[in-house]
Each structure stands twice: as C-alpha cells, then as structure tokens.
Amino acid sequence: MSETNTAAEVAAPHRYTAALAADIEARWQDLWDAHGTYDAPNPGGDLAGDPEVVARPKKFIMDMFPYPSGAGLHVGHPLGYIATDVYARYHRMTGHNVLHTLGFDAFGLPAEQYAVQTGTHPRVSTEANIENMKAQLRRLGLGHDKRRSFETIDPAYYKWTQWIFLQIFNSWYDEDAKKARPIAELVRLFESGERQVPGTRAWSELSAVERAEVLGEYRLAYASDAPVNWCPGLGTVLANEEVTADGRSERGNFPVFKSKLRQWNMRITAYADRLIDDLEALDWPEAIKLQQRNWIGRSEGARVSFEVVGHDEKITVFTTRPDTLFGATYMVLAPEHELVDSVVPAEWPEGTKDAWTGGARTPADAIAAYRKQAQSKTDVERQTEGKDKTGVFTGAYARNPLTGERVPVFVADYVLMGYGTGAIMAVPGQDERDWEFATAFELPIVRTVAPPEGWEGEAYTGQGPAINSANDKLDLNGMAVDEAKRTAIAWVTEQGIGEGTVNFRLRDWLFSRQRYWGEPFPIVYDEQGVAHSLPESMLPLELPEVEDYSPRTFEPDDADTSPETPLSRNEDWVNVTLDLGDGPKRYRRETNTMPNWAGSCWYELRYLDPHNSERLVSAEAEQYWMGPRDGQPHGGVDLYVGGAEHAVLHLLYARFWSKVLFDLGHISSNEPFHKLYNQGMIQAYVYRDSRGIAVPAAEVEERDGAFYYQGEKVGRLLGKMGKSLKNAVTPDEICAEYGADTLRLYEMAMGPLDVSRPWDTRAVIGQYRLLQRLWRNAVDEATGEVTVVSAEPDEATLRALHKAIDGVSQDMANLRFNTAIAKVTELNNFVTKLSEVPRTVAEQLVLLVAPLAPHIAEELWRKLGRTTSVVHADFPVADPAYLVDEAVTCVVQIKGKVKARLEVAPSISDEELEKAALADPAVVAALGGAGIRKVIVRAPKLVNIVPA
RNA sequence: GGGCAAGUGGCGGAACGGCAGACGCGGCGGACUUAAAAUCCGCUACCCCUUCCAGGGUGUGUGGGUUCGACUCCCACCUUGCCUACCA
C-alpha cells in the first residue's frame, strides 16, 4: 500500500478502500462456499433439497462455458459471466429456484497445441489452466452452484458424450415420421419386408458386411469416404465450419485441401427442415436465426436429368429456375464430378471451338490439365481472380429435353461439387455467372424471361413474363416466373425426367479428428471391418496413456499426405479381445477422436444431474429444469449468454443433438436454449508505432489529443483486447486496485450488454465512488459504526426510493444493467444529500445493489443487523402510491417547440390543462394574437398548440 | 458482390412518437487542508445577446417524407462494424 493510502486509513480506518473490499470479498466468498449459498435444489436425487424452494418457478441461467487457455483471462472474458450472475441473483431474490453454474470445455486442438509447445501432457496443462481460471473467476464472486461444475475431459462426463454418440450411431431418420428411431426398428422393418431393402435382394440374403453397408446408409452417425477438408499443417481433417472462406484452417491458418478419406459424419442434414422450422419459436436474436437459416440454405427448385448424347448416363442437375429450361444452352460439371471421365470422348468432336479446348490435343488431356490447375489453385488465388470464369469443354453433348438441341458439356470450377448435384444446366439469359461464362466461351444466350423495357443489363434475374419458351409439347410463354416454375416442374415430373425438390446448402457434419486430445469413439471393428458399438457397460472408453500424444503434421502445402492418428500408434490399446455378446473375439478400436464440439453439444443437460452414473440426466431433473412450459412448443435453458461467433457451429450442433435425444425419448425438450443473448465485445485501444508494431498500451501517454510511446508518436485504433496487441487488462489488476464489486459494476455500467464498447480503465473509478458513497451512507468511516436512524423517511425520499425500485426491477428483468446502475446511482446520490439516512432506505438500497455488487451488499446487510444472507432476501417491490409525483412539469409546445412549462397536479384534466396552457403569458406572447387551429392535450405532461 | 447492425457532447452512453444529452469518465470553479490526495458543493452540447438578472437561436451522419409533434417510423444516400461470399 502506498503512503497516501496509509494516511487515509489513519484518518478513516473504516473507509471502503480496495483493501477493505478485498477483505470483505474474500470473507464472503469463503462463507458462501462453506454454506453452499448458491446451491439449487433438484426435485430428487443426490441434489434434492428444500421442497419449498423446488416448488418455486425455476430459472436455468447459463453461460457458454469457457475454454481455459494458457493465457488467462482479460477483463473482456467475464462480461457475460457477470451479466448472467446479476440476472441470476435478481431472480433468486424474486422467488425463483435458480440454477446457475459453470463447467469447463477442455478437449480440443488449442489445449493439445499448448501441451505440445510446452512439452507437458495435455491433461496436466489443461488442469493447470482450469485451476488458474477458477481462481481468477472466484475473485469475481460469481454465484455458481459448485456441486454442478464439471470438465468435459472427466471420464465420468465423456462417458455420456460417448453414450450419446452411440445413440446417434444406433438410430436412423424416418422420413415419414420425421424423427429419429432406433436402428433396430429399421432392421425389423427390413426383416419383415415391411420396408424394401435397397437393391434387389432380401435382408435375409445379405451377408453381415452387406447388412452393415446398408445400415450405414441410414445411421445418423456413419463412416464414409467422401471428400473431406484435410489440413496437413495441423495433421487433421476439419469440419466445413472450421474452414475459413479463403480455404484455410480457422485455427493456425494453414491451407486446407479436399481429400477422399474414410471419416465419421453426423447426418445433420436429415434435420435440416426441423432446424429451420423450429427457429421460429425461439427467443433468439434475429441476426443469429438468419445466420442459421442461411447456413442451412434451404432452396426450392427441381432436379432435372439431361440425356448425354450417345451415352447411357444422365446428368442430373439441381435448379431453382426450372422455368428457364428453354434457355439452357450448355451444361457444367464440377471438376470432381464422377461423370466427367465416363462421358469424355477420345477426340474433339466436329465444331469444337478453339477457346473450348484449353489448347489440349484431346478432351482427356484438357480435363486432366484443368483439374490439376483447379486443384493447385488456392482459394486465395480464386478469390483474387474474382469472377473470371475458367473451364474446358468435355467433348460431350447433352440434349435439352425441351428444345431438343445438343448442348455442350463443360467442366468449370465455378460449379461446386458440394452443392446440389455438382452439375448445372447453364441459363446465361437469367444467371449472371452463366452469362459471364457464355460470353467468355462464345456460347449462345437465349432470354426466356422478358426483361423490363429499357433493360440494358446482361443476365436478367428478376420477374417477368416467359418468352422463347414454347414447343409442341409445352408452352410457358406469357406466364409469370412462379407459374412457369410450377408448370415446368409438372411437365418434367410427367415425363419422368425430373421432380420438384428442396435442396440444402448444409452438409453432413464431419465428426472425426486425427487427434489425441478428444473423446475416443466407442467403436470397434471386427475382422471383416464391420463397425460395432461398445455396450454401455464398457463406457467410458478412456483415453489411453501414451508416450507420444503429438499429432503427425506435415508440410502445410503438401496435399499428397494422409493423416495418422496418435491413438493408432498404441497397438496394445488398439487391438483388443472383447465379448460383445457372441463370445470373445478380436477387434480393432477406432483410433480417431471426436471434435472439440462434442462435449459442448449437450453440457446443459449434465448441469442438471451432474453425478448421475445411471443416466446422462434423470428424467425428473430434466423435466423440472428443461421441460416445455408456458405454452412453448419446446423447453430449454431460460437464458443462454455467449458470443455471436458461435452462431452456426456450437449452436447448430447442440440443437441437432437435442433433437435426436428428444426423438429417442431421452429428454423432453427438443431445443436446448429457449432464450439466447449475445453479449458484445469489450474492445480496447491498440497503439502502433510507425512500423505498425503494437506497443504496450499501458505505457502510452496522451498529450494534446496525440499519443506517445517512449517519446515517439503512435497511432491509436480500436481493436480486440489481447496479449498479442499488448493492450490486455486483467480482472486481477482491477480487483487489486478497486475490488471485485467495482469491476462488476463497471463492466455492467459501460453500456448495453449486447453492444461492443471500449474498455477505459480511467472510468472504473466512477463505480468505485458509487460504492464508497453507498458505504458512507450507512457506516461511519472513523468508527465503523452503523449511522442509520430509525426515523421514517419523508415523502420526497419515499418517492425517490420507489421510483428507483420500479426502474431497477424493470431494467434487471430486461438485462438493462447499465440503466439499472444509473438509477441506483441517482438514488444513492439523493440519499447522500440527506442529513441522516433512515434505516429502511439504507436497507432497500442495499437490496437494490445486491445483485450487482453482492459482497458489499452482504457486508452492509450484516452490519445493519441482518443475520441471514442477502442472497436470498426479497428484492424490494415498488409501492405504486409513491410512483406518482406530487406535481408534474407540463410542457407547452407551439408546433412542437417548447414555449412554456407549467407545474400541474398529476390528476389534472385535459380541459383544465388546456385552459391553463392557453392562459400562460409566455404562450400568449409566443402566439402573438394568432388564432388557434388545433390543440393536442396529453394530460398531465404535454400541450401542443397549432396556430392557424 | 450479398446480408445484418449501428451512427447522439471531449469520451462511454440515456431518452413508451411528447422537456435530447439521465448516469458515469474527463474538464473547469469553489469549500475543507499548511499543502496535496480523498471527500463535499456547483458548472460543463454549440452559437448569439446581456455587466447582472434574464432571453433568443441551432442542434441526434446527409437529404427527403409521414405526423400537431421525429434521435425514435418510412425512403434514398454516406460512413463504420460484424457476418457471408461463384449456393445454380
């Protein structure tokens, strides 16, 4: 402590200082832990508790749990945790049974990379990080039910992650019932013949391997050889969601290549419709709903097959514009399309234009060269090339089923294998990309929708009557786009060459990683290579201890590599003899691990019943905390707060798992999170020198609006807070300087929770002063004695008090903590001006502050003579009698401009008020004898006069 | 290129279509003090007029519109941020 502080402490030994705050905070945190103050009772089981509390309305308030990195927390991290804590405390004080806790997400790449860098086992480094984070968070006084906390790396936890995987593996999506069902039911349908087995043979005629293959086509978790995102630099494959727009890994920024590898997938596409439809009823930010809708990318259209001239094969395309079929003048296949090789002729056909061949002697050469070029091109290059269309002619022709014309088939990389069928019918008249390609390759362009008069643009994608769209079989001419679509779909359906269909952008979720630090798959393969699930009795399948847990990584640019799983090196673990019900046999374990999203896909459920060893969650606890109520079509967490960056990853996966578990009858809510709220980011100023290098923000000085570091002028920009930008401020340093309550208040007072705003350490002192004044309003700084008096408060004080209670209550309920604090401050400033503070006022003020600054509230509550915790005290309720002011200021406007103010009784009638307003000298003067056309009266607050 | 937000004092931000700038930071002045810190009190959007008292005008990115009345609703534009990107 500095000397000035010591001097101040001599003068006022009981002043609310950082030292006193630290003492108060540590003391109450210990007491809360000792008493389990924040423990929320379950209706039954090991966490059962007071039936009176269980009978209250429940609130399940949750944060997106943290991923403990080695770097520790900066002040931006706990923003959401503090907000949910305030909200939880408010609800605890308004008669709710509140479940609020926090676990830790701890599997995954960053932990593993950190472990590799530091040469420690990931479990050791992860546990150390978690301990460090727990200590940092404990200092903030978050009211968590610590009995319910867990880490996703606990075998007792990931046992159930594996169990859920098996539920998904052992189920299929019944398109008719529109829900998941156990795979055993599908087998029964195949056995009985109720359902046709794909192919020509009956179920009983199939071998075990063939049966496994058939079921693999149905399972919601399945292995397949599809092209996946292979990242040699990381040594693992990645989900689409983990690859950035420019084709690099989100983590590490390494190049990502398409490679055919046998990998596990989750059939999330089966739920595409439900994932879109069920968004409707969720209380989520519209922007997030929109992102999910766009990600799922539902579009209605048609599939149409085109006959390839001189071949048996057909090219099937997806189009959203079947009405433009008459304008399809060529076709395009994606470079990876499997039909490319089979339709390519030996020689260039008659009439091949030079521009189409890419200068190659034969079509096969041209395609080989183009594919090579397309594959080597990084997506960055693709991006800089923009919309310049490239491609080559395959030498093959297809036949337009409506015009009967031969149309050339091209290969071009502007058609993506992963969307639709990987093939398109090109309609340059109505599609901008096709127009560009057609122009570049001298292909015919036919407009089939009439553009508006004076249209000088190129492709016309808008509405208009169909033209050039008739033959002796079908006539669309004159039809509007929608009608033409319907008619065309009906025609292709009747001809047996197509059908109306819905296409999704969403693809199945790649679910395996070549990593050590993840949940092992509870899957073994028999000698024929058939996958078997482990029985529940063999769960958890624990990660083996290994010598070498680092992944095998490669040259980041070397696409001709393939992954090697760390677990595969451990032969003793991989090769096992197990009895899966038909006697001991040799098996090989699956050596991939699950992606880091797995643990967070269902963690909300485990909070409800964290120690249950029989089930992932008891039905009783699940229904109590998550079950549908209040007329909602779904239940779920009452409030889920986290960053918007999880809009399409975690939030989509978690919804998917919920729906599967719901379908299979394991839980009662088909949505995990009823209300979602995205907190904003705390930004910080970044100072850079002339070379553009960030300099330590704490050492930058400001002079006359310019910024200097070590005498050199530096530039200032608003950015993220972090170590690399040398502008991180830690909660520890703010707590040391002012105390945790001040930090909590400041973070909540900075602005609306959902908006990003810059951190300003200088401004923290404002909230510190608020708490000091609050303290002084009840406690003598010299003696530490309580100074409140027993006298009743006067009218004005009661009005100020109840106005604050009313406003703060509404703000708390609506997550508007910044304005709640403003109202508390106003009341506190009012009380400061009183010569003596009535006990009732001090007590209510303490209660108002309690959710925001719980430590000082507990201390004052105790000093005021209360013996029970303020945590469970009742939040004050405003008395409406004091919400009406004695006199109201009425503004008198002329044409909307304020000209006079009147002090009137709140009960004044419109007539009286109008009379008073018109009689006011200032109004008379302003009117200057002009006549009155109209008077709008909103008693008691406003009169607006419109002069003639 | 597309989509979604948001633009209010020196700064962070308040404002059911009804007194713009609550509350806080910073700044200025005063009280207390030998002095400083802390604390307490007052002032603090801009311009004009005025010795004072008082008064007048302009103001919520720009331009239009709806309305008795617009920071708020509608249209166009500008700027910034975020998301997304050849999705057929």
Side-chain angles (χ1 to χ4, degrees):
Chain A
M1 280 297 128
S2 66
E3 284 180 35
T4 48
N5 258 349
T6 312
E9 279 162 22
V10 171
H14 297 275
R15 170 166 297 174
Y16 183 79
T17 59
L20 180 59
D23 172 61
I24 291 171
E25 287 164 6
R27 203 149 29 78
W28 282 105
Q29 283 161 14
D30 290 344
L31 279 166
W32 291 332
D33 279 354
H35 289 113
T37 303
Y38 302 103
D39 291 355
N42 271 1
D46 67 325
L47 302 184
D50 188 345
E52 188 277 316
V53 177
V54 172
R56 296 177 188 174
K58 64 91 188 181
K59 280 279 174 190
F60 183 9
I61 298 161
M62 208 173 121
D63 299 284
M64 290 187 188
F65 65 172
Y67 191 95
S69 79
L73 296 179
H74 60 64
V75 289
H77 291 117
L79 179 69
Y81 306 154
I82 296 171
T84 51
D85 191 53
V86 174
Y87 191 73
R89 287 174 182 276
Y90 172 73
H91 281 92
R92 227 175 253 124
M93 294 175 75
T94 51
H96 296 83
N97 185 17
V98 174
L99 173 41
H100 187 224
T101 185
L102 193 73
F104 296 88
D105 189 18
F107 270 132
L109 258 84
E112 188 170 286
Q113 281 173 327
Y114 181 80
V116 170
Q117 276 163 24
T118 57
T120 48
H121 191 282
R123 181 174 300 281
V124 174
S125 62
T126 302
E127 293 290 359
N129 290 347
I130 290 174
E131 282 318 305
N132 184 36
M133 182 176 274
K134 277 185 175 171
Q136 280 189 298
L137 289 175
R138 187 172 189 273
R139 186 71 185 83
L140 302 177
L142 302 171
H144 293 151
D145 182 344
K146 295 190 175 163
R147 305 168 307 167
R148 296 176 186 265
S149 182
F150 53 75
E151 300 161 13
T152 55
I153 55 173
D154 293 340
Y157 179 82
Y158 71 69
K159 167 183 176 174
W160 296 104
T161 310
Q162 292 172 331
W163 182 86
I164 295 169
F165 173 82
L166 291 179
Q167 294 299 311
I168 298 171
F169 174 70
N170 284 317
S171 57
W172 60 294
Y173 198 78
D174 182 339
E175 293 290 347
D176 300 325
K178 297 210 182 305
K179 59 178 276 199
R181 295 172 63 186
I183 199 86
E185 293 179 13
L186 180 65
V187 172
R188 276 200 293 279
L189 292 175
F190 282 150
E191 280 169 348
S192 68
E194 269 178 84
R195 193 178 177 104
Q196 178 74 39
V197 180
T200 50
R201 291 185 292 158
W203 187 252
S204 57
E205 296 166 22
L206 299 182
S207 70
V209 174
E210 288 166 331
R211 287 178 180 180
E213 277 170 9
V214 168
L215 293 181
E217 296 296 312
Y218 287 85
R219 292 182 189 275
L220 288 179
Y222 64 97
S224 81
D225 291 305
V228 295
N229 306 301
W230 162 236
C231 180
L234 288 174
T236 185
V237 299
L238 296 169
N240 292 325
E241 291 84 343
E242 294 167 312
V243 180
T244 61
D246 54 351
R248 301 178 82 88
S249 60
E250 201 164 58
R251 203 155 265 290
N253 201 34
F254 293 113
V256 172
F257 301 91
K258 284 285 173 199
S259 185
K260 265 196 173 182
L261 295 166
R262 187 154 186 86
Q263 296 293 330
W264 285 92
N265 289 278
M266 291 254 167
R267 209 177 296 279
I268 190 172
T269 49
Y271 282 84
D273 266 324
R274 281 169 63 184
L275 287 169
I276 285 187
D277 294 345
D278 294 352
L279 279 173
E280 192 74 27
L282 296 179
D283 186 1
W284 285 21
E286 276 307 316
I288 301 291
K289 290 190 186 181
L290 193 66
Q291 274 188 60
Q292 290 218 346
R293 284 194 196 102
N294 289 343
W295 188 263
I296 297 166
R298 184 192 150 98
S299 53
E300 290 182 16
R303 259 167 218 259
V304 183
S305 293
F306 285 63
E307 159 199 345
V308 181
V309 177
H311 283 268
D312 294 337
E313 283 93 350
K314 290 196 162 56
I315 298 175
T316 302
V317 303
F318 171 74
T319 177
T320 55
R321 295 297 300 274
D323 60 306
T324 62
L325 207 44
F326 280 96
T329 55
Y330 66 102
M331 301 189 78
V332 183
L333 300 175
E336 306 90 349
H337 200 288
E338 54 183 12
L339 273 181
V340 172
D341 294 309
S342 53
V343 300
V344 169
E347 302 292 333
W348 291 115
E350 196 78 12
T352 301
K353 297 183 184 173
D354 287 349
W356 296 4
T357 65
R361 237 171 10 86
T362 66
D365 286 353
I367 285 166
Y370 184 74
R371 277 180 169 163
K372 198 168 173 193
Q373 178 212 330
Q375 207 194 1
S376 70
K377 202 160 47 168
T378 69
D379 286 295
V380 179
E381 283 165 346
R382 263 197 200 184
Q383 224 172 359
T384 49
E385 283 168 21
K387 291 192 164 176
D388 286 350
K389 296 288 179 289
T390 60
V392 289
F393 180 41
T394 61
Y397 285 90
R399 195 170 296 285
N400 182 317
L402 278 170
T403 62
E405 299 215 7
R406 289 182 351 143
V407 295
V409 179
F410 283 76
V411 167
D413 64 2
Y414 84 92
V415 172
L416 310 173
M417 196 55 225
Y419 185 77
T421 61
I424 63 161
M425 63 177 210
V427 190
Q430 275 77 229
D431 185 285
E432 284 162 16
R433 295 151 303 173
D434 295 347
W435 178 287
E436 284 166 27
F437 190 87
T439 313
F441 287 82
E442 300 166 26
L443 289 155
I445 297 171
V446 180
R447 288 194 192 278
T448 58
V449 178
E453 191 107 9
W455 172 261
E456 285 176 19
E458 303 181 332
Y460 176 68
T461 56
Q463 298 290 316
I467 52 172
N468 301 324
S469 298
N471 59 20
D472 47 6
K473 298 173 261 185
L474 181 66
D475 185 352
L476 303 176
N477 282 341
M479 289 183 188
V481 169
D482 283 345
E483 190 189 357
K485 278 185 186 173
R486 279 194 303 275
T487 311
I489 290 174
W491 187 81
V492 296
T493 307
E494 188 190 301
Q495 297 294 308
I497 59 166
E499 60 187 341
T501 181
V502 175
N503 190 60
F504 294 94
R505 199 189 90 118
L506 181 72
R507 273 162 274 163
D508 280 342
W509 172 21
L510 178 68
F511 195 71
S512 40
R513 299 291 184 277
Q514 292 70 52
R515 290 281 141 174
Y516 171 72
W517 196 232
E519 298 87 348
F521 280 75
I523 292 284
V524 292
Y525 298 94
D526 64 23
E527 281 163 357
Q528 293 170 297
V530 173
H532 297 265
S533 51
L534 292 180
E536 194 178 324
S537 61
M538 292 186 190
L539 301 184
L541 171 60
E542 293 200 37
L543 260 183
E545 290 302 322
V546 294
E547 287 292 305
D548 179 14
Y549 46 80
S550 39
R552 169 107 189 260
T553 58
F554 303 87
E555 276 300 307
D557 295 313
D558 189 357
D560 295 325
T561 48
S562 52
E564 176 188 304
T565 59
L567 291 181
S568 66
R569 297 178 205 136
N570 196 337
E571 288 291 324
D572 291 347
W573 182 79
V574 172
N575 298 302
V576 285
T577 302
L578 298 172
D579 184 349
L580 298 184
D582 51 356
K585 285 187 181 162
R586 294 291 288 169
Y587 294 96
R588 242 186 105 74
R589 290 196 194 278
E590 170 63 58
T591 60
N592 282 297
T593 53
M594 298 187 197
N596 48 337
W597 307 108
S600 59
C601 273
W602 70 283
Y603 73 117
E604 73 283 357
L605 294 168
R606 197 58 180 173
Y607 284 147
L608 310 179
D609 195 9
H611 313 126
N612 196 327
S613 55
E614 304 298 313
R615 290 174 55 98
L616 82 161
V617 55
S618 78
E620 184 184 37
E622 193 275 332
Q623 276 161 28
Y624 178 81
W625 291 108
M626 295 280 277
R629 65 197 66 194
D630 304 333
Q632 294 165 11
H634 55 80
V637 174
D638 295 282
L639 177 69
Y640 191 38
V641 173
E645 67 273 15
H646 292 294
V648 288
L649 297 162
H650 159 62
L651 287 171
L652 200 59
Y653 299 150
R655 293 183 63 216
F656 165 51
W657 279 33
S658 270
K659 288 183 188 302
V660 178
L661 290 173
F662 172 80
D663 285 353
L664 299 175
H666 299 302
I667 58 175
S668 66
S669 173
N670 69 7
E671 284 285 343
F673 313 116
H674 168 63
K675 182 180 173 75
L676 175 72
Y677 195 92
N678 296 121
Q679 90 272 20
M681 243 191 320
I682 291 188
Q683 302 167 305
Y685 287 109
V686 184
Y687 300 90
R688 291 180 192 276
D689 64 19
S690 51
R691 292 166 303 165
I693 295 172
V695 302
E699 295 165 38
V700 170
E701 291 165 24
E702 182 177 358
R703 287 197 299 273
D704 308 321
F707 304 95
Y708 300 88
Y709 171 66
Q710 296 182 343
E712 196 197 337
K713 198 167 177 181
V714 293
R716 185 175 84 161
L717 269 174
L718 208 51
K720 284 186 177 180
M721 185 177 280
K723 261 192 177 168
S724 59
L725 296 174
K726 297 185 186 151
N727 60 0
V729 178
T730 66
D732 312 63
E733 50 192 294
I734 302 299
C735 285
E737 186 94 3
Y738 300 105
D741 280 335
T742 296
L743 173 65
R744 291 171 59 107
L745 273 176
Y746 176 66
E747 296 220 358
M748 293 299 99
M750 286 170 80
L753 185 58
D754 57 350
V755 175
S756 295
R757 58 236 123 123
W759 177 265
D760 182 8
T761 299
R762 275 193 319 181
V764 175
I765 198 164
Q767 304 307 322
Y768 182 56
R769 287 180 188 145
L770 164 63
L771 293 181
Q772 286 191 319
R773 227 171 288 154
L774 171 71
W775 181 260
R776 249 194 320 269
N777 278 334
V779 177
D780 186 311
E781 291 188 338
T783 65
E785 294 300 311
V786 169
T787 55
V788 297
V789 297
S790 55
E792 286 301 310
D794 60 22
E795 282 282 309
T797 306
L798 286 171
R799 286 216 172 83
L801 174 66
H802 285 272
K803 224 173 91 184
I805 292 170
D806 184 52
V808 171
S809 306
Q810 289 179 36
D811 287 345
M812 290 270 184
N814 292 301
L815 297 161
R816 291 194 302 252
F817 304 123
N818 56 329
T819 49
I821 291 169
K823 283 158 193 165
V824 167
T825 309
E826 257 180 300
L827 176 63
N828 193 48
N829 289 347
F830 182 96
V831 171
T832 302
K833 290 182 173 58
L834 297 175
S835 53
E836 42 191 26
V837 180
R839 166 174 292 277
T840 57
V841 176
E843 286 185 347
Q844 308 235 47
L845 189 49
V846 166
L847 291 169
L848 287 179
V849 166
L852 295 155
H855 309 89
I856 193 176
E858 281 281 35
E859 186 71 10
L860 287 172
W861 195 240
R862 181 60 56 100
K863 275 190 175 294
L864 287 165
R866 301 298 189 130
T867 52
T868 55
S869 168
V870 77
V871 169
H872 295 109
D874 288 333
F875 203 78
V877 177
D879 182 343
Y882 293 109
L883 296 180
V884 189
D885 286 321
E886 209 165 8
V888 185
T889 306
C890 170
V891 295
V892 184
Q893 303 175 330
I894 294 176
K895 282 198 75 175
K897 302 249 183 253
V898 179
K899 293 293 172 187
R901 295 184 172 81
L902 307 172
E903 288 296 310
V904 299
S907 57
I908 193 165
S909 71
D910 283 4
E911 293 74 23
E912 274 178 285
L913 187 60
E914 180 174 341
K915 228 167 91 185
L918 291 174
D920 187 272
V923 173
V924 174
L927 279 171
I932 292 163
R933 198 173 70 187
K934 195 173 174 186
V935 181
I936 290 108
V937 185
R938 296 278 181 276
K941 301 195 80 163
L942 177 119
V943 177
N944 191 15
I945 301 161
V946 189

